[in-house]
Amino acid sequence: MYINTELKQQGNNLRLETIALKVYSEAKNCQGNSLALLALLRLLEGLHREIRDSLFLESLPSNRQALYTLLKNIEEEGGWPYIHRLKLQSLLENLAENTFTELEIEKNTQSLVECESSQPLSLKQGEIL
């Protein structure tokens, strides 16, 4: 599991591993419930942002030796922590792959092309569709 490997690699303590396992366990409990998983991801992103923008910035090194140690750790242990956001386009593509067959997508695309190329409707005054 990624969680255990990452924590051991970084030399983090048992408290962080326990937190990670609880979060992962909650995610597994929400499996199949996209709204609950989305809420969990939003919570994690919010915590990441809050910790980064307050506590982490306040703890940045004040001398070159400490800065060197921090930068060396970032380089050796996997870079800067970042929460990747799924782009809406990727989400829609993934949804399309799981929902429609290639034939259905082609058929729907063809229908859209036909609609776009057809002549606009012209109504005489007083006519209702």
Side-chain angles (χ1 to χ4, degrees):
M1 180 181 351
Y2 172 78
I3 295 169
N4 290 336
T5 305
E6 183 70 17
L7 288 173
K8 286 176 185 172
Q9 190 178 42
Q10 292 181 5
N12 287 327
N13 60 35
L14 184 59
R15 290 183 310 175
L16 292 181
E17 189 171 346
T18 302
I19 291 168
L21 290 173
K22 285 181 180 181
V23 170
Y24 188 76
S25 175
E26 181 59 27
K28 289 294 279 181
N29 289 338
C30 296
Q31 190 171 4
N33 183 343
S34 58
L35 291 177
L37 289 167
L38 183 60
L40 179 60
L41 289 171
R42 285 178 176 152
L43 173 69
L44 292 172
E45 181 183 21
L47 287 170
H48 176 265
R49 188 179 319 111
E50 189 174 321
I51 292 168
R52 179 198 62 210
D53 292 347
S54 61
L55 300 172
F56 181 74
L57 287 179
E58 293 169 5
S59 72
L60 286 175
S62 58
N63 62 54
R64 280 187 275 170
Q65 185 64 31
L67 177 60
Y68 173 79
T69 302
L70 176 66
L71 293 174
K72 184 177 176 187
N73 179 275
I74 289 172
E75 183 179 336
E76 291 175 353
E77 301 296 333
W80 184 257
Y82 174 74
I83 295 181
H84 177 77
R85 285 184 166 195
L86 186 63
K87 302 271 189 239
L88 186 56
Q89 183 65 34
S90 298
L91 179 66
L92 292 174
E93 288 170 2
N94 189 18
L95 182 62
E97 288 173 10
N98 293 327
T99 307
F100 300 108
T101 64
E102 294 274 336
L103 183 59
E104 289 173 322
I105 293 172
E106 188 175 314
K107 180 181 172 186
N108 290 336
T109 304
Q110 183 62 32
S111 296
L112 286 173
V113 170
E114 289 172 6
C115 286
E116 288 177 358
S117 64
S118 65
Q119 295 294 325
L121 293 175
S122 59
L123 296 176
K124 296 178 184 173
Q125 190 172 3
E127 283 186 319
I128 299 176
L129 285 177

